[in-house]
Amino acid sequence: MLEEKNDNLQEADGKLEIDINDSTENNAIETADTDAVPENTISNDEIESESTVEATEANHQTALDAITNSNAEESEDETLKERHEIPMQDYDTFSLDALVDELKKLINTDKVMSVKDHIEEIKKSFLLQYNHFIEEKKEEFNASKQDPNEEFEYHSPLKSKFDEYYNVFREKRNAHFKHLQTNLKSNLDNRLAIVEELKELINPQENIKDTLKHFNDLRERWKNAGAIPKDKYNHVWNNYHFHVENFYDYLHLDREARDLDFKHNLEQKQKIVARVEELVDETDISKAFRELQDLHRIWKEDIGPVSKEHRDTIWNRFSELTKKIHDKREVLFENQRANEQNNLEIKKEIIAKIEVLGTEKVNSHSQWLVQIQKVEALRNEFFAAGKVPSEVNEETWAAFKTAVRNFNAFKNSFYKDIKKDQNDNLNKKMALVAKAKELQESTDFTATTPIMKQIQEEWKQIGHVPKKYSDKIWKEFKDACNHYFDKLKEHKSEENVDEVAAFDNKKAYLDILRAYQLTGDHKTDLDAIKAHIEIWKGYGKVPFARRHIEGKFNKILDALFEKLSLSKKETEMMRFSNRIDSLSDSNDTRKLDNEKIFLMRKIEEVQNEIFQLENNIQFFANTKNAKKENSIVLEVRKNIAIHKESLEVWKEKLKQLRNLNQE
């Protein structure tokens, strides 16, 4: 056999275009073959066959070029083959954090060129997002800065990490290229020398066995010669295969050995064709195309020529199937381009929405927060929308940046207008800070506590201040308030001793009050009850958590009042007076104010009821039977009297409460 047989069809590549550079040499070789057609005689069948082959190859040239170009690039750097194993993701949809994590993962691969395209896509996506982010930060800075000489600075740990990882990749890539360039020229010179030696093999005077041994040595050297520059790939391989075919076709070889070798090569190529027929139906087009590349490489690099009678037929079938897979790949690309066009329309809609938001006028900070959230959501949608056609990528990105920039300028104009309001708010809050600091050492807790609470309420009502002062004045105000209320808490803790003693006294006095019996004399009993009330008040306040004892005291009083022959008004007023005294002792101004509001509402309600009842009486007075007041009229008059009596009680309560406030 002339060459080592290879039954493993895991790799392949396309048929080489024969590059005949020396016609004289070719003619000389041709005359050396005993089976060659006479020099000046060319049959019509051969002419027709050649033109058919040329037409077929011309029709399929685009598909073959795609295979050849890919294999030429991968032959220069074999690590490029491995990039097919790493899926290319839509990095435009990744967040900045996710892009940095993905870059960190990819730079750890040993084959740096297998991830080159992925890393460049990551870099492109990262810089687009990061530059947009920095522009927004710069616009925010310019809108809020107080000192015109202050320069914008922004440090991003995330950008530092990205630069660190990318520099690692760049160093690995440069080292790889340096090593690669060192070997490529040497490998090219070696392969060209092998071709020259192959030319010299066609020598009828040399012993056939020595020639075959030399030929096999050359083929083994060629196989191990290594990568060459991709721009030399086709030319070198074409020359090599041209001279290999000449060796088979024109050298006086042992016919039986040559025919067996042709047969074996034909079988190998038929297996490749059969596998490509299966690949035509493969659903994963990208996978099919990659395997097709390998099969073309095997066809070109590992399998020798076949006899002339089969050479064109099997090659045409192979190139025809190649074109089918290539066409399916083009359809896939067309679908991808359609998706990119759809993504473009989505991004155009997003840009249009941002442009609209950049013209909608809003008049409050809370409304602007809503607008900002809308733009941020649209911004995320833009990055998640996926790739657009490369020819409009920069244009689309520029339109997006312009829309966001215009929105930010519109937003910033609003905040520039309210900056004066923020400065006014700052002055108001600084005044409150000064007031709080002035009162923080006060020991007149009864008078100061309501003022401090009022100051806190006023603080809440004042709007935003410039951000650079916000934390500072809030801390000063909070510290002053906390200082005062901590002192108030300590004071109350000291008072707790007296309050506990008051509770113990009142608890003991309840037992005395429960045992008290009325004498039956109205004045004596009333004076005794009043004396009990004064004694109870004299004990003072009890701890807040034990205020329930006041309720027990009031229940005993209520029972005693019921046994007295007092009018309803007198009873009600005594109960009210006792309750108001309790509220007054507790210094709970809020409850006293609420009680006042309640009394005013009750007075208004009763007056309205009386007015409505008197209108009803007027209605009955205008009827024919007005002289005879029926039971309904009498009932209404009775209700009026009851409501008027109730009204007097409510008014008396309000008067008593107002007198208490004046005191």
Side-chain angles (χ1 to χ4, degrees):
M1 286 297 174
L2 298 178
E3 62 177 332
E4 180 180 349
K5 300 301 183 290
N6 186 355
D7 292 326
N8 185 351
L9 300 183
Q10 296 302 310
E11 299 183 347
D13 202 350
K15 180 178 183 291
L16 291 165
E17 298 290 320
I18 297 178
D19 182 13
I20 304 177
N21 296 316
D22 191 343
S23 58
T24 303
E25 181 185 24
N26 295 335
N27 290 334
I29 295 173
E30 216 172 327
T31 58
D33 193 338
T34 56
D35 294 333
V37 178
E39 184 175 357
N40 296 322
T41 305
I42 302 176
S43 68
N44 291 334
D45 289 341
E46 279 191 80
I47 295 173
E48 189 173 314
S49 174
E50 288 177 7
S51 62
T52 302
V53 170
E54 289 176 1
T56 302
E57 289 185 352
N59 290 335
H60 299 162
Q61 195 59 43
T62 302
L64 297 175
D65 286 345
I67 298 289
T68 302
N69 292 336
S70 297
N71 284 340
E73 184 178 6
E74 291 179 4
S75 74
E76 182 181 67
D77 188 350
E78 294 184 352
T79 62
L80 295 178
K81 298 176 184 178
E82 298 181 15
R83 65 183 173 183
H84 299 308
E85 305 302 323
I86 304 174
M88 180 68 74
Q89 303 188 60
D90 189 357
Y91 295 114
D92 284 345
T93 63
F94 281 38
S95 67
L96 290 173
D97 287 320
L99 288 170
V100 171
D101 291 341
E102 187 70 12
L103 175 61
K104 181 181 179 181
K105 182 175 71 174
L106 290 178
I107 63 171
N108 289 324
T109 181
D110 294 333
K111 307 296 185 182
V112 64
M113 296 305 291
S114 66
V115 296
K116 176 179 71 71
D117 294 342
H118 302 71
I119 290 178
E120 292 304 324
E121 285 296 316
I122 289 174
K123 178 184 177 184
K124 178 180 175 183
S125 298
F126 182 90
L127 291 181
L128 282 176
Q129 291 192 51
Y130 181 76
N131 290 337
H132 176 66
F133 172 77
I134 289 298
E135 286 176 4
E136 289 184 336
K137 289 296 181 184
K138 190 172 184 179
E139 289 174 358
E140 290 177 5
F141 170 79
N142 291 332
S144 61
K145 71 177 181 179
Q146 303 292 322
D147 184 357
N149 296 321
E150 189 177 0
E151 295 293 332
F152 171 75
E153 291 183 7
Y154 188 85
H155 173 69
S156 171
L158 199 62
K159 179 65 164 58
S160 299
K161 282 186 178 180
F162 179 86
D163 291 341
E164 176 188 345
Y165 297 149
Y166 188 80
N167 286 337
V168 171
F169 160 73
R170 189 164 54 186
E171 290 172 2
K172 285 187 173 182
R173 181 190 60 188
N174 292 342
H176 173 81
F177 277 134
K178 185 176 181 180
H179 176 74
L180 189 65
Q181 292 300 324
T182 302
N183 294 328
L184 287 179
K185 187 177 184 307
S186 175
N187 294 341
L188 176 61
D189 293 340
N190 189 19
R191 288 187 185 274
L192 291 175
I194 292 173
V195 171
E196 291 302 318
E197 290 187 49
L198 192 59
K199 291 180 184 179
E200 301 300 326
L201 281 181
I202 304 175
N203 183 359
Q205 306 303 322
E206 188 173 313
N207 182 280
I208 187 65
K209 290 184 179 180
D210 293 338
T211 300
L212 290 177
K213 183 179 182 302
H214 192 182
F215 175 74
N216 286 330
D217 289 343
L218 289 176
R219 293 195 63 192
E220 189 63 26
R221 283 169 55 195
W222 181 270
K223 185 176 180 181
N224 299 317
I228 62 174
K230 63 182 178 182
D231 58 330
K232 306 293 184 182
Y233 177 80
N234 286 332
H235 177 75
V236 173
W237 276 102
N238 288 344
N239 281 336
Y240 171 74
H241 275 275
F242 170 71
H243 291 292
V244 168
E245 288 183 352
N246 278 343
F247 183 83
Y248 274 92
D249 292 341
Y250 302 120
L251 187 62
H252 289 287
L253 302 176
D254 178 85
R255 184 176 299 277
E256 181 180 357
R258 186 186 68 173
D259 290 345
L260 286 173
D261 205 51
F262 278 164
K263 180 181 178 183
H264 173 77
N265 294 339
L266 178 61
E267 290 173 352
Q268 298 305 302
K269 291 187 175 183
Q270 286 173 337
K271 289 180 181 180
I272 289 178
V273 169
R275 176 55 186 157
V276 177
E277 287 174 342
E278 295 175 357
L279 291 178
V280 170
D281 298 323
E282 171 64 51
T283 55
D284 188 340
I285 306 303
S286 298
K287 177 182 176 182
F289 186 79
R290 289 196 297 271
E291 186 173 345
L292 181 64
Q293 281 182 255
D294 292 337
L295 293 174
H296 269 266
R297 189 177 292 111
I298 293 174
W299 185 290
K300 176 187 291 187
E301 300 177 13
D302 293 347
I303 303 177
V306 299
S307 62
K308 280 189 174 181
E309 61 183 293
H310 298 296
R311 193 170 295 168
D312 290 341
T313 302
I314 195 165
W315 169 247
N316 289 339
R317 178 57 179 162
F318 186 40
S319 61
E320 178 186 344
L321 293 171
T322 296
K323 184 177 184 301
K324 287 183 179 181
I325 295 177
H326 179 268
D327 290 345
K328 292 180 71 174
R329 183 168 177 254
E330 284 300 304
V331 171
L332 176 65
F333 286 160
E334 284 298 323
N335 291 336
Q336 291 176 348
R337 285 190 282 270
N339 289 335
E340 290 177 354
Q341 189 63 37
N342 183 56
N343 294 340
L344 175 61
E345 297 303 319
I346 293 173
K347 289 191 172 183
K348 284 182 177 180
E349 291 178 5
I350 292 171
I351 292 170
K353 290 178 181 178
I354 296 175
E355 289 173 343
V356 170
L357 290 173
T359 60
E360 291 181 353
K361 191 171 183 179
V362 293
N363 298 313
S364 70
H365 175 65
S366 60
Q367 290 177 327
W368 270 111
L369 288 178
V370 173
Q371 297 293 87
I372 292 169
Q373 288 174 355
K374 288 180 181 179
V375 171
E376 185 62 24
L378 289 171
R379 180 177 177 276
N380 292 335
E381 288 179 25
F382 182 89
F383 288 119
K387 291 184 178 180
V388 300
S390 58
E391 63 272 15
V392 296
N393 185 52
E394 292 299 326
E395 176 187 341
T396 306
W397 175 246
F400 171 71
K401 286 199 299 184
T402 300
V404 174
R405 186 180 296 112
N406 290 341
F407 170 82
N408 287 333
F410 189 52
K411 173 197 68 178
N412 292 339
S413 66
F414 166 80
Y415 285 104
K416 287 178 182 178
D417 292 339
I418 68 171
K419 189 174 292 185
K420 181 180 180 301
D421 294 336
Q422 290 187 345
N423 288 329
D424 291 341
N425 293 338
L426 175 62
N427 293 332
K428 293 177 183 178
K429 287 193 172 183
M430 289 177 68
L432 292 180
V433 170
K435 194 171 183 180
K437 286 183 176 180
E438 181 183 342
L439 296 173
Q440 66 180 352
E441 299 295 344
S442 174
T443 57
D444 186 359
F445 299 109
T446 303
T448 305
T449 301
I451 298 174
M452 291 295 284
K453 290 182 177 179
Q454 181 62 32
I455 289 175
Q456 290 178 329
E457 288 300 320
E458 289 179 19
W459 183 280
K460 294 177 183 177
Q461 301 305 317
I462 299 174
H464 293 277
V465 301
K467 188 175 181 181
K468 64 186 298 183
Y469 302 110
S470 178
D471 293 341
K472 179 176 179 293
I473 64 169
W474 166 244
K475 184 177 184 305
E476 291 181 10
F477 181 72
K478 182 177 68 172
D479 289 347
C481 291
N482 288 346
H483 180 78
Y484 172 78
F485 284 105
D486 286 343
K487 287 183 63 178
L488 176 62
K489 186 177 180 181
E490 291 176 6
H491 175 70
K492 288 186 174 180
S493 296
E494 293 172 359
E495 289 183 338
N496 281 344
V497 177
D498 295 333
E499 291 177 357
V500 170
F503 173 77
D504 293 337
N505 292 332
K506 287 186 175 183
K507 183 178 179 183
Y509 195 72
L510 282 181
D511 295 334
I512 297 172
L513 199 56
R514 289 190 185 102
Y516 174 74
Q517 296 292 328
L518 296 176
T519 63
D521 180 72
H522 177 78
K523 185 176 183 309
T524 302
D525 291 335
L526 183 58
D527 291 340
I529 292 174
K530 289 180 179 180
H532 285 306
I533 293 174
E534 291 302 320
I535 293 171
W536 183 269
K537 289 180 181 179
Y539 290 134
K541 292 190 298 182
V542 299
F544 183 83
R546 302 182 181 184
R547 292 287 302 278
H548 60 275
I549 198 169
E550 300 292 342
K552 294 181 179 180
F553 176 69
N554 289 330
K555 285 183 179 180
I556 296 174
L557 287 184
D558 289 342
L560 293 174
F561 284 141
E562 287 178 5
K563 295 178 181 180
L564 287 176
S565 55
L566 293 175
S567 67
K568 182 177 180 182
K569 180 179 179 180
E570 289 177 316
T571 303
E572 188 69 25
M573 289 307 300
M574 289 190 71
R575 290 173 177 170
F576 177 74
S577 178
N578 183 60
R579 192 160 67 85
I580 292 303
D581 287 342
S582 298
L583 292 178
S584 179
D585 290 340
S586 66
N587 290 323
D588 196 335
T589 57
R590 183 177 59 83
K591 288 187 176 180
L592 289 171
D593 290 339
N594 289 340
E595 185 70 24
K596 182 178 178 181
I597 293 170
F598 171 74
L599 293 174
M600 293 172 67
R601 287 178 179 172
K602 291 301 294 184
I603 290 172
E604 184 180 2
E605 289 176 8
V606 174
Q607 286 176 335
N608 289 337
E609 285 289 335
I610 292 172
F611 179 75
Q612 183 63 44
L613 291 170
E614 288 177 343
N615 281 344
N616 293 341
I617 290 293
Q618 188 66 28
F619 170 76
F620 287 115
N622 293 330
T623 59
K624 294 179 181 180
N625 298 325
K627 293 181 179 180
K628 295 182 179 180
E629 291 188 345
N630 57 29
S631 58
I632 296 177
V633 175
L634 294 174
E635 185 65 29
V636 172
R637 291 188 184 280
K638 182 179 178 181
N639 283 339
I640 291 173
I642 293 172
H643 279 79
K644 285 183 176 180
E645 182 181 353
S646 174
L647 180 62
E648 290 302 318
V649 174
W650 292 119
K651 286 182 176 180
E652 184 65 27
K653 288 181 178 180
L654 181 60
K655 180 180 178 181
Q656 183 176 336
L657 185 57
R658 283 174 173 167
N659 291 336
L660 179 64
N661 289 337
Q662 290 176 359
E663 294 175 358

